[in-house]
Amino acid sequence: MDRFGAKTQKILVTGAAGFIGFHLSRKLLALGHEVVGFDNINDYYDINLKLSRLQLIESTPGFRFVRGDLADREAVLALVKAERFDSVVNLAAQAGVRYSITNPYAYIDSNIQGFINILEGCRHNEVKHLVYASSSSVYGGNTLMPFSVHHNVDHPVSLYAATKKANELMAHTYSSLYGLPTTGLRFFTVYGPWGRPDMALFLFTRAILEGKPIDVFNNGKMQRDFTYVDDIVEGISRVIFSVPGPNPSWDGNCPDPGTSFAPYRIYNIGNNSPVELIRFIEVLEDCLGKQAEKNFLPLQPGDVPATCADVDDLAKDVGFRPSTSIEDGISRFIDWYRSYYHC
Ligand SMILES: NC(=O)c1ccc[n+]([C@@H]2O[C@H](COP(=O)([O-])OP(=O)(O)OC[C@H]3O[C@@H](n4cnc5c(N)ncnc54)[C@H](O)[C@@H]3O)[C@@H](O)[C@H]2O)c1
């Protein structure tokens, strides 16, 4: 039994060599679950960082790693069939908003083709719960804050966001047709130790330490609900054991986007405390003891000016709200960065 009273499970974590997948795998192993990690270790960013993460978990009893591509239909279906997982957490994806402007096909291969393979694998092999990563980017053109899962999200502004919204629609279809319980999690700008080198905190830290200028988009007025990675994995690990059922009060005359007549749920996982980019940089400068040279730029295509998560549903259903401050979170990131890169 884990600390929520749930039996230990055999869980597939896709994207296990990635930032969130690595942290989640560690947490699930610490809770006593058996984890099979799956990842193609692609070179979207430094492969050595992915290999170092894997090295840290590979020796843990209860963990096995399978290298493969989500878009490889036979490989995914064979794995899910052979292993008989209790739950599947799909985190593998082509991430990044800006990269989707220049590399659209990478998103279709991993996020659309890959996701249908996961859905098919789950529905044919009695997986009890499919949990998958969506993103705050699905809120696209929405401006009503905080962003709620009960708001309509039909106006994405990047292909990345469109693939995440498509995942939610595909999951709903499988929940409806086959009764597969699915939960989509919209993560809000995740940061922390072992983070992604393509994201602002990593890019800023490296540039500041090297004495190079940093690009500050939307002239620093961008607001982000920065969410510490431990809060994200706490949320995911609770959601795995909160298997959704149909919502009996769902009404097709007034359809709630966040629940359904089918066993389908969507949750936001965000800090519910947006911070201006310029404040985020100030905290980083304090932690590093060094000022940044700032190159102020306009909002980039595909980016949204602000995000803020309504997490009431998450709190109500799994009893958890992210709460790590950026002061604590950035300082823990810097401790890790300095020790990992010896600087
Ligand atoms: N980090 C964030 O701020 C954030 C915010 C919202 C949503 N998300 C989503 O959360 C998930 C995890 O994000 P992350 O930050 O850990 O990203 P990441 O890039 O660090 O991890 C993704 C992992 O998936 C693997 N992968 C990619 N395509 C694959 C494929 N076709 N087959 C097998 N493996 C593949 C990559 O090698 C990588 O290790 C992603 O779905 C991402 O879209 C992340």
Side-chain angles (χ1 to χ4, degrees), residues 14-22 38-45 50 53 67-72 76 90-96 106 109-111 114 132-137 160 164 167 185-191 194-199 227 232:
T14 73
F19 171 36
I20 301 171
F22 155 73
F38 182 84
D39 203 298
N40 66 359
I41 318 194
N42 66 36
D43 63 359
Y44 169 60
Y45 61 77
K50 296 183 181 183
R53 292 178 185 134
R67 187 167 184 167
D69 198 308
L70 268 196
D72 180 342
V76 173
N90 186 53
L91 300 174
Q94 180 55 58
D109 294 345
S110 293
N111 304 8
Y132 60 96
S134 182
S135 164
S136 60
S137 64
Y160 169 65
K164 292 295 183 180
N167 287 172
L185 300 175
R186 295 178 182 162
F187 304 145
F188 283 63
T189 320
V190 190
Y191 73 100
W194 298 95
R196 266 183 29 214
D198 61 321
M199 292 185 71
T227 310
I232 293 285

Short mmCIF file of all heavy atoms in Angstrom, two decimals, residues 14-22 38-45 50 53 67-72 76 90-96 106 109-111 114 132-137 160 164 167 185-191 194-199 227 232, ligand 1:
data_model
loop_
_atom_site.label_atom_id
_atom_site.label_comp_id
_atom_site.label_asym_id
_atom_site.label_seq_id
_atom_site.Cartn_x
_atom_site.Cartn_y
_atom_site.Cartn_z
N THR A 14 5.95 7.20 -19.76
CA THR A 14 6.64 7.55 -21.01
C THR A 14 7.30 8.91 -20.82
O THR A 14 6.82 9.75 -20.05
CB THR A 14 5.68 7.58 -22.22
OG1 THR A 14 4.86 8.75 -22.12
CG2 THR A 14 4.82 6.33 -22.31
N GLY A 15 8.43 9.10 -21.50
CA GLY A 15 9.19 10.34 -21.31
C GLY A 15 9.98 10.29 -20.00
O GLY A 15 10.27 11.33 -19.41
N ALA A 16 10.36 9.07 -19.56
CA ALA A 16 11.01 8.91 -18.25
C ALA A 16 12.41 9.52 -18.18
O ALA A 16 12.91 9.79 -17.09
CB ALA A 16 11.08 7.42 -17.89
N ALA A 17 13.04 9.74 -19.35
CA ALA A 17 14.35 10.39 -19.33
C ALA A 17 14.21 11.91 -19.39
O ALA A 17 15.19 12.65 -19.33
CB ALA A 17 15.20 9.90 -20.50
N GLY A 18 12.98 12.37 -19.52
CA GLY A 18 12.71 13.81 -19.58
C GLY A 18 12.62 14.42 -18.19
O GLY A 18 12.68 13.71 -17.17
N PHE A 19 12.46 15.71 -18.15
CA PHE A 19 12.46 16.48 -16.90
C PHE A 19 11.39 15.98 -15.92
O PHE A 19 11.69 15.52 -14.81
CB PHE A 19 12.26 17.96 -17.28
CG PHE A 19 12.01 18.91 -16.15
CD1 PHE A 19 12.65 18.77 -14.92
CD2 PHE A 19 11.15 19.99 -16.33
CE1 PHE A 19 12.42 19.68 -13.90
CE2 PHE A 19 10.92 20.90 -15.31
CZ PHE A 19 11.55 20.74 -14.09
N ILE A 20 10.13 16.02 -16.33
CA ILE A 20 9.06 15.66 -15.40
C ILE A 20 9.00 14.14 -15.21
O ILE A 20 8.80 13.64 -14.09
CB ILE A 20 7.70 16.22 -15.89
CG1 ILE A 20 7.77 17.75 -16.01
CG2 ILE A 20 6.56 15.81 -14.96
CD1 ILE A 20 6.56 18.39 -16.68
N GLY A 21 9.23 13.39 -16.30
CA GLY A 21 9.17 11.93 -16.23
C GLY A 21 10.21 11.35 -15.28
O GLY A 21 9.95 10.38 -14.56
N PHE A 22 11.37 11.97 -15.26
CA PHE A 22 12.44 11.54 -14.34
C PHE A 22 12.01 11.75 -12.89
O PHE A 22 12.11 10.85 -12.05
CB PHE A 22 13.72 12.32 -14.67
CG PHE A 22 14.70 12.46 -13.54
CD1 PHE A 22 15.46 11.37 -13.13
CD2 PHE A 22 14.86 13.67 -12.89
CE1 PHE A 22 16.36 11.50 -12.07
CE2 PHE A 22 15.75 13.81 -11.84
CZ PHE A 22 16.51 12.72 -11.43
N PHE A 38 9.87 4.65 -20.46
CA PHE A 38 9.96 4.51 -21.92
C PHE A 38 10.36 5.88 -22.47
O PHE A 38 9.80 6.91 -22.07
CB PHE A 38 8.58 4.10 -22.45
CG PHE A 38 8.52 3.87 -23.94
CD1 PHE A 38 8.88 2.65 -24.48
CD2 PHE A 38 8.06 4.87 -24.80
CE1 PHE A 38 8.81 2.42 -25.86
CE2 PHE A 38 7.98 4.66 -26.18
CZ PHE A 38 8.35 3.42 -26.69
N ASP A 39 11.32 5.90 -23.38
CA ASP A 39 11.78 7.19 -23.93
C ASP A 39 12.63 6.88 -25.16
O ASP A 39 13.33 5.86 -25.19
CB ASP A 39 12.65 7.92 -22.88
CG ASP A 39 12.71 9.42 -23.10
OD1 ASP A 39 13.19 9.85 -24.16
OD2 ASP A 39 12.28 10.17 -22.20
N ASN A 40 12.59 7.77 -26.16
CA ASN A 40 13.47 7.56 -27.32
C ASN A 40 14.79 8.33 -27.19
O ASN A 40 15.65 8.25 -28.05
CB ASN A 40 12.76 7.91 -28.64
CG ASN A 40 12.42 9.38 -28.77
OD1 ASN A 40 12.69 10.17 -27.86
ND2 ASN A 40 11.84 9.76 -29.90
N ILE A 41 14.91 9.10 -26.07
CA ILE A 41 16.13 9.90 -25.82
C ILE A 41 16.52 10.68 -27.07
O ILE A 41 17.65 10.58 -27.57
CB ILE A 41 17.30 9.02 -25.32
CG1 ILE A 41 16.77 8.00 -24.30
CG2 ILE A 41 18.40 9.85 -24.71
CD1 ILE A 41 17.79 7.30 -23.49
N ASN A 42 15.60 11.46 -27.56
CA ASN A 42 15.90 12.23 -28.79
C ASN A 42 16.79 13.44 -28.46
O ASN A 42 17.01 13.77 -27.29
CB ASN A 42 14.61 12.64 -29.51
CG ASN A 42 13.79 13.64 -28.69
OD1 ASN A 42 14.33 14.49 -28.00
ND2 ASN A 42 12.48 13.50 -28.74
N ASP A 43 17.30 14.08 -29.52
CA ASP A 43 18.28 15.15 -29.28
C ASP A 43 17.67 16.55 -29.36
O ASP A 43 18.35 17.50 -29.73
CB ASP A 43 19.46 15.01 -30.25
CG ASP A 43 19.03 15.17 -31.70
OD1 ASP A 43 17.81 15.38 -31.95
OD2 ASP A 43 19.90 15.09 -32.59
N TYR A 44 16.41 16.69 -28.99
CA TYR A 44 15.79 18.03 -28.93
C TYR A 44 16.61 18.94 -28.02
O TYR A 44 16.74 20.12 -28.24
CB TYR A 44 14.33 17.89 -28.46
CG TYR A 44 13.67 19.20 -28.12
CD1 TYR A 44 13.53 20.20 -29.08
CD2 TYR A 44 13.17 19.45 -26.83
CE1 TYR A 44 12.92 21.42 -28.76
CE2 TYR A 44 12.55 20.64 -26.51
CZ TYR A 44 12.43 21.62 -27.48
OH TYR A 44 11.82 22.81 -27.16
N TYR A 45 17.10 18.36 -26.92
CA TYR A 45 18.11 19.06 -26.11
C TYR A 45 19.15 18.04 -25.65
O TYR A 45 18.99 16.83 -25.89
CB TYR A 45 17.50 19.85 -24.94
CG TYR A 45 16.73 19.05 -23.92
CD1 TYR A 45 17.38 18.28 -22.94
CD2 TYR A 45 15.35 19.08 -23.91
CE1 TYR A 45 16.66 17.56 -22.01
CE2 TYR A 45 14.62 18.35 -22.97
CZ TYR A 45 15.29 17.59 -22.02
OH TYR A 45 14.58 16.88 -21.08
N LYS A 50 19.68 13.84 -20.31
CA LYS A 50 18.70 12.75 -20.24
C LYS A 50 19.36 11.47 -19.72
O LYS A 50 18.80 10.76 -18.88
CB LYS A 50 18.08 12.49 -21.62
CG LYS A 50 17.27 13.67 -22.15
CD LYS A 50 16.60 13.38 -23.48
CE LYS A 50 15.84 14.61 -23.96
NZ LYS A 50 15.09 14.43 -25.19
N ARG A 53 20.02 11.71 -15.98
CA ARG A 53 18.79 11.49 -15.19
C ARG A 53 18.52 9.98 -15.10
O ARG A 53 18.25 9.45 -14.01
CB ARG A 53 17.59 12.16 -15.87
CG ARG A 53 17.60 13.68 -15.89
CD ARG A 53 16.35 14.13 -16.64
NE ARG A 53 16.26 15.55 -16.87
CZ ARG A 53 15.93 16.10 -18.05
NH1 ARG A 53 15.68 15.35 -19.09
NH2 ARG A 53 15.84 17.42 -18.17
N ARG A 67 14.00 1.63 -24.29
CA ARG A 67 14.20 2.72 -25.25
C ARG A 67 13.34 2.45 -26.48
O ARG A 67 13.40 1.37 -27.07
CB ARG A 67 15.67 2.81 -25.65
CG ARG A 67 15.94 4.04 -26.51
CD ARG A 67 17.42 4.31 -26.64
NE ARG A 67 17.65 5.54 -27.39
CZ ARG A 67 18.80 6.17 -27.47
NH1 ARG A 67 19.84 5.68 -26.85
NH2 ARG A 67 18.92 7.27 -28.17
N GLY A 68 12.54 3.41 -26.85
CA GLY A 68 11.68 3.23 -28.02
C GLY A 68 10.95 4.51 -28.35
O GLY A 68 11.00 5.49 -27.58
N ASP A 69 10.31 4.49 -29.51
CA ASP A 69 9.62 5.68 -29.99
C ASP A 69 8.11 5.49 -29.90
O ASP A 69 7.59 4.47 -30.36
CB ASP A 69 10.03 5.95 -31.45
CG ASP A 69 9.71 7.38 -31.85
OD1 ASP A 69 8.55 7.81 -31.66
OD2 ASP A 69 10.63 8.06 -32.33
N LEU A 70 7.44 6.48 -29.32
CA LEU A 70 5.97 6.42 -29.20
C LEU A 70 5.30 6.27 -30.55
O LEU A 70 4.23 5.69 -30.65
CB LEU A 70 5.44 7.73 -28.60
CG LEU A 70 5.23 7.90 -27.12
CD1 LEU A 70 4.35 9.12 -26.89
CD2 LEU A 70 4.61 6.67 -26.50
N ALA A 71 5.93 6.82 -31.58
CA ALA A 71 5.32 6.77 -32.91
C ALA A 71 5.46 5.39 -33.56
O ALA A 71 4.87 5.15 -34.62
CB ALA A 71 5.94 7.85 -33.80
N ASP A 72 6.22 4.50 -32.93
CA ASP A 72 6.41 3.14 -33.46
C ASP A 72 5.25 2.27 -32.94
O ASP A 72 5.27 1.77 -31.82
CB ASP A 72 7.77 2.62 -32.96
CG ASP A 72 8.08 1.21 -33.44
OD1 ASP A 72 7.14 0.49 -33.87
OD2 ASP A 72 9.26 0.82 -33.37
N VAL A 76 5.00 0.08 -29.31
CA VAL A 76 4.17 0.54 -28.20
C VAL A 76 3.10 -0.49 -27.86
O VAL A 76 2.90 -0.86 -26.70
CB VAL A 76 3.53 1.92 -28.51
CG1 VAL A 76 2.53 2.33 -27.43
CG2 VAL A 76 4.62 2.99 -28.66
N ASN A 90 1.44 9.20 -19.64
CA ASN A 90 2.08 9.58 -20.89
C ASN A 90 2.62 11.01 -20.81
O ASN A 90 1.87 11.98 -20.91
CB ASN A 90 1.10 9.48 -22.06
CG ASN A 90 1.81 9.73 -23.39
OD1 ASN A 90 2.82 9.08 -23.68
ND2 ASN A 90 1.35 10.69 -24.16
N LEU A 91 3.94 11.09 -20.63
CA LEU A 91 4.60 12.40 -20.57
C LEU A 91 5.47 12.63 -21.80
O LEU A 91 5.87 13.76 -22.08
CB LEU A 91 5.47 12.50 -19.31
CG LEU A 91 4.74 12.36 -17.97
CD1 LEU A 91 5.73 12.34 -16.82
CD2 LEU A 91 3.73 13.49 -17.78
N ALA A 92 5.79 11.56 -22.53
CA ALA A 92 6.64 11.73 -23.72
C ALA A 92 5.89 12.56 -24.74
O ALA A 92 4.71 12.32 -25.01
CB ALA A 92 6.97 10.36 -24.33
N ALA A 93 6.56 13.56 -25.25
CA ALA A 93 5.95 14.43 -26.26
C ALA A 93 7.04 15.31 -26.82
O ALA A 93 8.10 15.47 -26.21
CB ALA A 93 4.87 15.31 -25.63
N GLN A 94 6.77 15.88 -27.98
CA GLN A 94 7.61 16.98 -28.44
C GLN A 94 7.10 18.22 -27.72
O GLN A 94 5.96 18.64 -27.94
CB GLN A 94 7.52 17.14 -29.96
CG GLN A 94 8.40 18.26 -30.48
CD GLN A 94 9.85 18.14 -30.06
OE1 GLN A 94 10.50 17.15 -30.35
NE2 GLN A 94 10.37 19.14 -29.35
N ALA A 95 7.90 18.74 -26.81
CA ALA A 95 7.50 19.90 -26.02
C ALA A 95 8.02 21.18 -26.68
O ALA A 95 8.79 21.13 -27.65
CB ALA A 95 8.03 19.75 -24.60
N GLY A 96 7.62 22.32 -26.13
CA GLY A 96 8.13 23.61 -26.60
C GLY A 96 7.18 24.29 -27.56
O GLY A 96 6.77 23.70 -28.56
N ALA A 106 7.38 17.28 -36.13
CA ALA A 106 7.83 16.58 -34.92
C ALA A 106 6.67 16.45 -33.93
O ALA A 106 6.58 15.46 -33.19
CB ALA A 106 8.99 17.34 -34.27
N ASP A 109 4.16 13.70 -35.21
CA ASP A 109 4.70 12.34 -35.02
C ASP A 109 4.59 11.90 -33.55
O ASP A 109 4.05 10.85 -33.24
CB ASP A 109 6.18 12.28 -35.44
CG ASP A 109 6.34 12.51 -36.93
OD1 ASP A 109 5.34 12.43 -37.67
OD2 ASP A 109 7.49 12.78 -37.35
N SER A 110 5.11 12.71 -32.64
CA SER A 110 5.16 12.28 -31.23
C SER A 110 3.84 12.50 -30.51
O SER A 110 3.42 11.66 -29.71
CB SER A 110 6.27 13.03 -30.48
OG SER A 110 7.52 12.63 -30.98
N ASN A 111 3.22 13.64 -30.74
CA ASN A 111 2.07 14.01 -29.90
C ASN A 111 0.74 13.48 -30.44
O ASN A 111 -0.19 13.29 -29.66
CB ASN A 111 1.98 15.53 -29.74
CG ASN A 111 3.26 16.13 -29.19
OD1 ASN A 111 4.27 15.44 -29.06
ND2 ASN A 111 3.25 17.41 -28.87
N GLY A 114 1.95 9.32 -31.76
CA GLY A 114 2.36 8.65 -30.51
C GLY A 114 1.20 8.46 -29.57
O GLY A 114 1.06 7.41 -28.94
N TYR A 132 -2.31 11.69 -18.76
CA TYR A 132 -1.44 12.21 -19.84
C TYR A 132 -1.21 13.71 -19.66
O TYR A 132 -2.04 14.42 -19.09
CB TYR A 132 -2.04 11.91 -21.22
CG TYR A 132 -3.40 12.53 -21.43
CD1 TYR A 132 -3.54 13.75 -22.07
CD2 TYR A 132 -4.55 11.91 -20.93
CE1 TYR A 132 -4.79 14.33 -22.23
CE2 TYR A 132 -5.79 12.49 -21.08
CZ TYR A 132 -5.91 13.70 -21.73
OH TYR A 132 -7.15 14.28 -21.87
N ALA A 133 -0.06 14.15 -20.17
CA ALA A 133 0.30 15.57 -20.05
C ALA A 133 -0.41 16.37 -21.12
O ALA A 133 -0.25 16.13 -22.32
CB ALA A 133 1.81 15.73 -20.21
N SER A 134 -1.19 17.35 -20.66
CA SER A 134 -1.65 18.39 -21.56
C SER A 134 -0.83 19.63 -21.19
O SER A 134 0.29 19.48 -20.67
CB SER A 134 -3.16 18.61 -21.40
OG SER A 134 -3.60 19.60 -22.30
N SER A 135 -1.35 20.81 -21.40
CA SER A 135 -0.53 21.99 -21.15
C SER A 135 -1.39 23.23 -20.96
O SER A 135 -2.49 23.34 -21.54
CB SER A 135 0.39 22.20 -22.36
OG SER A 135 0.93 23.50 -22.35
N SER A 136 -0.87 24.19 -20.19
CA SER A 136 -1.56 25.48 -20.03
C SER A 136 -1.68 26.19 -21.37
O SER A 136 -2.52 27.07 -21.53
CB SER A 136 -0.78 26.37 -19.06
OG SER A 136 0.52 26.60 -19.55
N SER A 137 -0.85 25.79 -22.34
CA SER A 137 -0.90 26.48 -23.64
C SER A 137 -2.23 26.27 -24.36
O SER A 137 -2.57 27.03 -25.26
CB SER A 137 0.27 26.05 -24.53
OG SER A 137 0.14 24.69 -24.83
N TYR A 160 1.84 23.34 -31.05
CA TYR A 160 2.06 22.57 -29.81
C TYR A 160 0.75 22.51 -29.01
O TYR A 160 0.30 21.44 -28.60
CB TYR A 160 3.17 23.22 -28.98
CG TYR A 160 3.30 22.67 -27.59
CD1 TYR A 160 3.69 21.35 -27.37
CD2 TYR A 160 3.02 23.46 -26.47
CE1 TYR A 160 3.79 20.83 -26.08
CE2 TYR A 160 3.13 22.95 -25.18
CZ TYR A 160 3.50 21.64 -24.99
OH TYR A 160 3.60 21.13 -23.72
N LYS A 164 -1.90 19.31 -27.97
CA LYS A 164 -2.30 18.98 -26.59
C LYS A 164 -3.82 18.98 -26.46
O LYS A 164 -4.40 18.12 -25.81
CB LYS A 164 -1.66 19.95 -25.59
CG LYS A 164 -0.15 19.81 -25.50
CD LYS A 164 0.22 18.44 -24.93
CE LYS A 164 1.70 18.26 -24.73
NZ LYS A 164 2.04 16.94 -24.17
N ASN A 167 -5.04 15.88 -27.99
CA ASN A 167 -4.91 14.74 -27.07
C ASN A 167 -6.12 14.64 -26.14
O ASN A 167 -6.63 13.55 -25.86
CB ASN A 167 -3.64 14.86 -26.20
CG ASN A 167 -2.37 14.60 -26.98
OD1 ASN A 167 -1.28 14.81 -26.47
ND2 ASN A 167 -2.46 14.16 -28.21
N LEU A 185 -3.74 16.36 -17.72
CA LEU A 185 -3.21 17.33 -16.76
C LEU A 185 -2.58 18.50 -17.50
O LEU A 185 -1.62 18.31 -18.27
CB LEU A 185 -2.17 16.65 -15.86
CG LEU A 185 -2.71 15.46 -15.05
CD1 LEU A 185 -1.59 14.79 -14.28
CD2 LEU A 185 -3.81 15.93 -14.11
N ARG A 186 -3.11 19.67 -17.27
CA ARG A 186 -2.55 20.88 -17.90
C ARG A 186 -1.51 21.47 -16.96
O ARG A 186 -1.84 22.11 -15.96
CB ARG A 186 -3.67 21.88 -18.18
CG ARG A 186 -4.67 21.36 -19.20
CD ARG A 186 -5.81 22.34 -19.42
NE ARG A 186 -6.78 21.81 -20.36
CZ ARG A 186 -8.03 22.26 -20.50
NH1 ARG A 186 -8.45 23.28 -19.75
NH2 ARG A 186 -8.85 21.71 -21.37
N PHE A 187 -0.24 21.22 -17.29
CA PHE A 187 0.86 21.75 -16.47
C PHE A 187 1.12 23.21 -16.84
O PHE A 187 1.07 23.57 -18.02
CB PHE A 187 2.16 20.97 -16.71
CG PHE A 187 2.06 19.48 -16.47
CD1 PHE A 187 2.78 18.60 -17.27
CD2 PHE A 187 1.28 18.96 -15.46
CE1 PHE A 187 2.71 17.24 -17.07
CE2 PHE A 187 1.20 17.59 -15.24
CZ PHE A 187 1.92 16.73 -16.06
N PHE A 188 1.47 24.00 -15.82
CA PHE A 188 1.79 25.41 -16.02
C PHE A 188 3.29 25.62 -15.79
O PHE A 188 3.80 25.34 -14.70
CB PHE A 188 0.97 26.28 -15.06
CG PHE A 188 -0.46 26.46 -15.49
CD1 PHE A 188 -1.33 25.38 -15.58
CD2 PHE A 188 -0.94 27.72 -15.82
CE1 PHE A 188 -2.65 25.54 -16.00
CE2 PHE A 188 -2.26 27.90 -16.24
CZ PHE A 188 -3.11 26.82 -16.33
N THR A 189 4.00 26.10 -16.80
CA THR A 189 5.44 26.43 -16.78
C THR A 189 6.21 25.79 -15.61
O THR A 189 6.38 26.39 -14.54
CB THR A 189 5.67 27.96 -16.76
OG1 THR A 189 4.74 28.57 -17.64
CG2 THR A 189 7.09 28.29 -17.23
N VAL A 190 6.70 24.58 -15.86
CA VAL A 190 7.33 23.79 -14.81
C VAL A 190 8.84 24.12 -14.76
O VAL A 190 9.48 24.24 -15.80
CB VAL A 190 7.13 22.29 -15.09
CG1 VAL A 190 7.56 21.46 -13.88
CG2 VAL A 190 5.67 21.99 -15.44
N TYR A 191 9.38 24.24 -13.55
CA TYR A 191 10.81 24.52 -13.40
C TYR A 191 11.32 23.78 -12.17
O TYR A 191 10.54 23.35 -11.31
CB TYR A 191 11.06 26.04 -13.28
CG TYR A 191 10.64 26.60 -11.94
CD1 TYR A 191 11.59 26.84 -10.95
CD2 TYR A 191 9.30 26.81 -11.63
CE1 TYR A 191 11.21 27.31 -9.70
CE2 TYR A 191 8.91 27.27 -10.39
CZ TYR A 191 9.86 27.52 -9.43
OH TYR A 191 9.48 27.97 -8.19
N TRP A 194 17.21 19.58 -12.57
CA TRP A 194 17.18 18.67 -13.72
C TRP A 194 16.23 19.18 -14.80
O TRP A 194 15.71 18.41 -15.61
CB TRP A 194 16.78 17.25 -13.30
CG TRP A 194 17.73 16.61 -12.35
CD1 TRP A 194 17.64 16.59 -10.99
CD2 TRP A 194 18.95 15.95 -12.67
NE1 TRP A 194 18.71 15.93 -10.45
CE2 TRP A 194 19.54 15.53 -11.47
CE3 TRP A 194 19.62 15.66 -13.89
CZ2 TRP A 194 20.75 14.83 -11.43
CZ3 TRP A 194 20.81 14.97 -13.84
CH2 TRP A 194 21.36 14.57 -12.62
N GLY A 195 16.01 20.51 -14.83
CA GLY A 195 15.05 21.11 -15.75
C GLY A 195 15.48 21.09 -17.20
O GLY A 195 16.55 20.59 -17.55
N ARG A 196 14.62 21.66 -18.04
CA ARG A 196 14.83 21.61 -19.49
C ARG A 196 15.71 22.76 -19.97
O ARG A 196 15.40 23.92 -19.71
CB ARG A 196 13.49 21.67 -20.19
CG ARG A 196 12.98 20.30 -20.48
CD ARG A 196 11.69 20.24 -21.22
NE ARG A 196 11.38 21.33 -22.10
CZ ARG A 196 10.14 21.77 -22.30
NH1 ARG A 196 9.13 21.21 -21.68
NH2 ARG A 196 9.91 22.74 -23.14
N PRO A 197 16.78 22.43 -20.73
CA PRO A 197 17.70 23.48 -21.19
C PRO A 197 17.10 24.46 -22.19
O PRO A 197 17.70 25.49 -22.48
CB PRO A 197 18.84 22.69 -21.87
CG PRO A 197 18.71 21.30 -21.37
CD PRO A 197 17.27 21.09 -21.03
N ASP A 198 15.91 24.14 -22.75
CA ASP A 198 15.30 25.07 -23.71
C ASP A 198 14.38 26.07 -23.00
O ASP A 198 13.82 26.94 -23.65
CB ASP A 198 14.48 24.30 -24.76
CG ASP A 198 13.33 23.50 -24.14
OD1 ASP A 198 13.54 22.92 -23.06
OD2 ASP A 198 12.24 23.47 -24.73
N MET A 199 14.22 25.95 -21.68
CA MET A 199 13.27 26.82 -20.98
C MET A 199 13.99 28.00 -20.32
O MET A 199 15.19 27.97 -20.07
CB MET A 199 12.46 26.01 -19.97
CG MET A 199 11.53 25.04 -20.68
SD MET A 199 10.43 24.14 -19.59
CE MET A 199 9.29 25.43 -19.06
N THR A 227 5.59 26.84 -11.86
CA THR A 227 5.20 25.75 -10.95
C THR A 227 6.39 24.83 -10.71
O THR A 227 7.01 24.33 -11.67
CB THR A 227 4.01 24.97 -11.55
OG1 THR A 227 3.01 25.91 -11.94
CG2 THR A 227 3.43 24.00 -10.53
N ILE A 232 4.35 19.47 -9.20
CA ILE A 232 3.77 18.80 -10.38
C ILE A 232 3.72 17.28 -10.11
O ILE A 232 2.68 16.65 -10.31
CB ILE A 232 4.60 19.10 -11.66
CG1 ILE A 232 4.49 20.58 -12.05
CG2 ILE A 232 4.21 18.17 -12.81
CD1 ILE A 232 3.19 21.01 -12.68
N1 LIG B 1 7.93 21.49 -18.61
C1 LIG B 1 6.84 22.23 -18.75
O1 LIG B 1 6.82 23.41 -18.38
C2 LIG B 1 5.58 21.65 -19.34
C3 LIG B 1 4.42 22.46 -19.35
C4 LIG B 1 3.25 21.93 -19.89
C5 LIG B 1 3.23 20.65 -20.39
N2 LIG B 1 4.37 19.89 -20.39
C6 LIG B 1 4.30 18.54 -20.94
O2 LIG B 1 4.77 17.63 -19.97
C7 LIG B 1 5.42 16.52 -20.61
C8 LIG B 1 6.82 16.36 -20.07
O3 LIG B 1 7.53 17.56 -20.34
P1 LIG B 1 9.05 17.78 -19.92
O4 LIG B 1 9.21 19.20 -19.55
O5 LIG B 1 9.48 16.71 -18.99
O6 LIG B 1 9.73 17.58 -21.35
P2 LIG B 1 11.05 16.75 -21.77
O7 LIG B 1 11.31 17.11 -23.19
O8 LIG B 1 12.12 16.97 -20.77
O9 LIG B 1 10.56 15.24 -21.66
C9 LIG B 1 9.91 14.57 -22.70
C10 LIG B 1 10.66 13.25 -22.93
O10 LIG B 1 9.94 12.53 -23.93
C11 LIG B 1 10.85 11.96 -24.83
N3 LIG B 1 10.18 11.83 -26.12
C12 LIG B 1 9.80 12.83 -26.96
N4 LIG B 1 9.22 12.32 -28.05
C13 LIG B 1 9.22 10.96 -27.89
C14 LIG B 1 8.77 9.87 -28.68
N5 LIG B 1 8.21 10.09 -29.88
N6 LIG B 1 8.92 8.63 -28.22
C15 LIG B 1 9.50 8.39 -27.00
N7 LIG B 1 9.97 9.40 -26.22
C16 LIG B 1 9.83 10.65 -26.66
C17 LIG B 1 12.04 12.91 -24.88
O11 LIG B 1 13.24 12.23 -25.25
C18 LIG B 1 12.08 13.45 -23.46
O12 LIG B 1 13.00 12.73 -22.66
C19 LIG B 1 5.35 16.80 -22.10
O13 LIG B 1 4.22 16.15 -22.62
C20 LIG B 1 5.16 18.31 -22.17
O14 LIG B 1 4.51 18.69 -23.36
C21 LIG B 1 5.55 20.37 -19.86
#
